[in-house]
Amino acid sequence: MPANARELLTARIFTHAAFPVMKVVIEDVPAMKRRFQDVKAKVQFMARNDGDTVGAFLVFDEAGFRVEQGVCGDPDITFSFPSVAKMNAMLAGKLVLPSIKGWTKPGLLIKVFQLLLSLKLMMPNARPKDPERKKLKVKMIFYMITTALSQYNKGGDPDMTKWTAKQPERIYQMSVEPEGIAAYLRVRGGLTKAGRGYYTRRRPFVHMRFHGVDGALPVLLKDVEFVESVGKGYVTVEGSPEYAAAMNDFMQRIQALVT
Amino acid sequence: MAEITGTTWTVYDANTMTQAEVYGRVLCELGEKDPRIIGLTADLAKSTKIGLFQERFPERFVNVGIAEQNLFGIAAGLAKSGMLPFVATMAVFASMRALEQVRTDICYQNLDVKIIATHGGVSFGQAGTTHHCTEDLAIMRSLANMTVIVPADGHEAANVVRAVVDWPGPVFIRMGRGFEPLHYQDENYGFRIGKAVQIADGTDITIICCGVTVFHAAEAARELKANDGLSVRVLNVHTIKPIDVDAITKAVTETRRILVVEEHNVLGGLGSAVADVIAASGKGCAFTKVGLPDCYSEVGYPEDLYAYYKLDTNGIIEKVRELLGREFEADENWEDEV
């Protein structure tokens, strides 16, 4: 049975928005950085879909880490799923066992598992105490959210495409200050692009300024509602409240897809 | 209400002028405090409203007759003698008929002469192209030492007249015919020579304007927000020279789309001054100047001419929509960053 549009959109968000966040872990966590320092490998994730294949692969080489979409010819490890829905479930942290090719490279397999497990830091039930882990969690979520929003549009969600289509060039910026963790979504006439850091070429149309990592976490963990968090001073929203609310609505829809 | 009989309609209705009447009243107020202030005109005391000053201080008023070159020559002499001349005539005569005297007698010597140039732009519509003035800002801003100011309405005109008393050197104050709608509620909004006034904040586009177009730009911003959901910044750049470089650079950086609207030839006026700032900043942006497209103006009622040249609210809305659709960056990579 072929995957429906919602399942394909979910898979797109995992492979385009969640997988790339592994780069943050590799770059920011010293132990993980050491672990992948000399790794040169390709790791494939793929799901069967009505005679076709949906997937992406991780590339570790001299240039560092990157994610490429589709199927590569010579993977070192392959995670195969019987359906897109099963792949989505596993990536959402549910207990699904894929078929794994690559047992002959146990060292690499263990490293990849560790990397995959590191993504669980983005889950709502992950509540780190260590300040560095807290910062990492916020950064990973920011990067994931902005890219997921962009992919939600590129994937053709009707409401999101309608919302972006009528907008002139606008920047939706998120930041945590004073730590300086920042990511943005650029929108123009139906196009979207997720970016890292601060967009400096124009002032944001909406800027969500979280006040410190400890202010950002209760909001991102849904310990407090967004409106309440503004009242409590965890976050300041500069710019259009209507558009900020609309973006928040899309973020919640995406969260419902991936959890 | 005066009978409408061609050009005299405007002259008679000068009695109810907003912009000019306000400046005339303020000038009288200042004249009470400062005995150096002296009024001059070239047979246009009534229509330029400096006649109010003449009535109050006849001993400090000179009507030279229809002789604008003499008007500015005499003003230069009075300034050299320690007086503070306010010279009122139509913009077209101040900026062109008497240009040599303004340049050589006044600006070259950096004299304290304040020029009230009324009927600027196409505001004297039905009087015809000869009485329109759509080149004055370009001419005046090219004269060294000259300060050039275009107030938005009567309240701003009052602020300008108060401010120029202590502002050194020659000043060219360009006004309309006097029927311009009021944008400001009163004079208390923080006017300073050389500092733009941000009328509305926004991030999608900035409309930079001066004079009568300020009222229309503010209206357009409200309409665009209500109907198009656009966030439009409006900057009243009343001082064309010295121009507020910081406000313009900030607008370029923060909105990346600049629409300049002015009641002037698109060459040499506010739009060109803004373009100079943008070019010097090294920042790219989408940019459009709205004004008279390097032509001699048509003849008609001012409101019809504003509509014809897209200087009114509807015209500005049209131009904003047009500019928002324009591509301007080479940075067209829409791949998400990893």
Side-chain angles (χ1 to χ4, degrees):
Chain A
M1 189 173 163
N4 60 34
R6 185 182 163 86
E7 287 166 342
L8 289 171
L9 189 56
T10 306
R12 181 184 182 105
I13 287 169
F14 276 123
T15 58
H16 286 76
F19 280 4
V21 175
M22 291 177 197
K23 185 173 181 178
V24 178
V25 180
I26 293 170
E27 287 180 353
D28 288 11
V29 179
M32 201 65 85
K33 194 172 190 170
R34 281 195 299 275
R35 215 165 279 157
F36 282 91
Q37 205 161 20
D38 299 316
V39 173
K40 289 180 185 55
K42 289 179 185 168
V43 179
Q44 178 75 58
F45 291 80
M46 54 193 279
R48 284 195 291 278
N49 185 36
D50 199 26
D52 202 358
T53 307
V54 172
F57 56 100
L58 317 180
V59 182
F60 305 88
D61 60 17
E62 298 82 0
F65 168 82
R66 64 184 181 278
V67 179
E68 295 198 359
Q69 302 303 314
V71 178
C72 70
D74 51 348
D76 297 280
I77 295 173
T78 302
F79 295 87
S80 303
F81 299 86
S83 68
V84 173
K86 295 271 187 198
M87 182 173 78
N88 289 343
M90 185 266 197
L91 293 173
K94 298 186 177 78
L95 191 62
V96 175
L97 289 177
S99 156
I100 301 173
K101 281 185 193 167
W103 292 108
T104 53
K105 297 176 179 170
L108 177 62
L109 200 55
I110 289 166
K111 286 177 183 175
V112 171
F113 272 127
Q114 286 170 329
L115 190 56
L116 278 172
L117 286 171
S118 71
L119 292 183
K120 292 191 81 169
L121 186 61
M122 288 192 286
M123 297 286 190
N125 57 358
R127 290 169 182 269
K129 297 275 188 290
D130 173 55
E132 286 304 311
R133 298 276 293 166
K134 285 183 185 176
K135 274 172 72 175
L136 181 67
K137 178 176 175 104
V138 171
K139 190 174 180 181
M140 289 167 73
I141 291 176
F142 270 24
Y143 286 14
M144 156 83 180
I145 285 175
T146 47
T147 311
L149 283 164
S150 180
Q151 290 298 324
Y152 199 55
N153 177 60
K154 288 172 175 167
D157 175 77
D159 291 335
M160 182 84 178
T161 50
K162 190 177 166 193
W163 186 70
T164 58
K166 64 180 182 183
Q167 295 192 55
E169 179 147 352
R170 285 175 173 167
I171 302 299
Y172 294 83
Q173 180 81 57
M174 295 177 185
S175 65
V176 177
E177 282 144 14
E179 288 85 347
I181 302 167
Y184 63 83
L185 178 72
R186 182 179 167 205
V187 177
R188 194 186 75 212
L191 300 169
T192 51
K193 176 178 181 170
R196 310 304 179 215
Y198 291 91
Y199 190 84
T200 55
R201 290 172 68 85
R202 65 188 302 138
R203 205 179 91 182
F205 179 65
V206 171
H207 191 160
M208 293 184 188
R209 288 182 197 274
F210 292 92
H211 301 151
V213 166
D214 290 323
L217 280 174
V219 186
L220 300 174
L221 293 169
K222 302 283 175 204
D223 289 347
V224 289
E225 286 300 320
F226 193 76
V227 175
E228 191 188 348
S229 67
V230 174
K232 287 189 168 179
Y234 293 150
V235 60
T236 306
V237 179
E238 294 169 4
S240 163
E242 294 86 359
Y243 280 83
M247 195 172 79
N248 194 44
D249 179 48
F250 287 122
M251 278 157 48
Q252 291 195 7
R253 291 194 206 185
I254 291 166
Q255 194 176 33
L257 281 181
V258 298
T259 52
Chain B
M1 186 70 184
E3 188 185 352
I4 298 175
T5 53
T7 56
T8 50
W9 170 76
T10 300
V11 175
Y12 286 139
D13 267 16
N15 292 328
T16 55
M17 281 180 173
T18 52
Q19 210 179 47
E21 189 167 26
V22 169
Y23 106 75
R25 184 170 43 75
V26 172
L27 196 57
C28 290
E29 182 192 316
L30 295 169
E32 298 282 0
K33 298 174 194 161
D34 191 338
R36 294 176 306 145
I37 293 177
I38 182 166
L40 296 96
T41 191
D43 220 24
L44 285 170
K46 189 173 180 180
S47 55
T48 65
K49 279 297 163 188
I50 203 161
L52 292 175
F53 187 89
Q54 179 185 20
E55 286 168 19
R56 183 83 67 90
F57 306 102
E59 75 288 358
R60 280 197 269 150
F61 188 82
V62 181
N63 181 355
V64 302
I66 305 173
E68 283 78 7
Q69 293 94 334
N70 291 345
L71 174 70
F72 287 96
I74 291 166
L78 288 166
K80 287 288 275 183
S81 310
M83 301 298 284
L84 183 55
F86 277 74
V87 185
T89 186
M90 289 186 189
V92 68
F93 304 139
S95 63
M96 284 176 266
R97 186 178 292 170
L99 177 58
E100 187 186 346
Q101 283 69 31
V102 170
R103 173 191 177 268
T104 309
D105 295 354
I106 296 171
C107 291
Y108 185 35
Q109 301 186 80
N110 199 16
L111 296 179
D112 264 340
V113 175
K114 316 305 175 188
I115 303 166
I116 311 279
T118 64
H119 300 78
V122 294
S123 64
F124 205 3
Q126 62 274 44
T129 311
T130 54
H131 282 59
H132 296 173
C133 189
T134 55
E135 305 89 353
D136 53 341
L137 302 179
I139 294 166
M140 288 297 151
R141 66 182 274 260
S142 68
L143 300 180
N145 295 328
M146 180 69 93
T147 296
V148 181
I149 307 176
V150 187
D153 66 4
H155 293 306
E156 191 152 85
N159 275 325
V160 173
V161 172
R162 285 185 215 287
V164 298
V165 170
D166 296 319
W167 184 263
V171 182
F172 182 83
I173 306 166
R174 196 247 219 167
M175 297 189 189
R177 62 173 176 159
F179 293 106
E180 292 72 28
L182 283 174
H183 168 73
Y184 293 107
Q185 303 290 315
D186 52 42
E187 295 173 29
N188 307 313
Y189 57 90
F191 175 87
R192 282 169 61 202
I193 294 175
K195 289 290 163 197
V197 182
Q198 185 171 295
I199 287 166
D201 195 10
T203 58
D204 291 335
I205 188 168
T206 300
I207 304 174
I208 293 178
C209 46
C210 64
V212 69
T213 61
V214 170
F215 173 85
H216 292 293
E219 287 289 306
R222 275 192 284 275
E223 290 283 322
L224 287 161
K225 181 173 183 165
N227 299 325
D228 298 39
L230 292 174
S231 170
V232 180
R233 182 177 301 185
V234 180
L235 278 184
N236 169 14
V237 180
H238 46 69
T239 308
I240 315 289
K241 183 187 169 187
I243 201 158
D244 189 342
V245 173
D246 291 345
I248 294 166
T249 309
K250 189 164 179 269
V252 172
T253 307
E254 294 184 349
T255 70
R256 304 303 303 277
R257 288 174 198 274
I258 304 288
L259 181 77
V260 183
V261 189
E262 60 182 323
E263 190 187 356
H264 190 269
N265 190 317
V266 289
L267 302 180
L270 175 63
S272 297
V274 170
D276 287 349
V277 173
I278 296 171
S281 77
K283 295 178 189 299
C285 69
F287 177 77
T288 293
K289 294 188 281 189
V290 181
L292 276 79
D294 195 22
C295 62
Y296 288 100
S297 47
E298 297 292 333
V299 180
Y301 288 123
E303 290 72 18
D304 291 334
L305 296 177
Y306 294 147
Y308 181 75
Y309 292 114
K310 311 285 184 198
L311 301 171
D312 66 349
T313 304
N314 288 331
I316 294 170
I317 288 171
E318 186 184 318
K319 290 289 179 182
V320 165
R321 288 176 178 151
E322 200 177 292
L323 186 58
L324 280 166
R326 192 194 302 170
E327 303 290 339
F328 68 96
E329 280 184 326
D331 178 19
E332 285 307 303
N333 172 14
W334 288 90
E335 285 298 313
D336 295 327
E337 289 177 15
V338 175

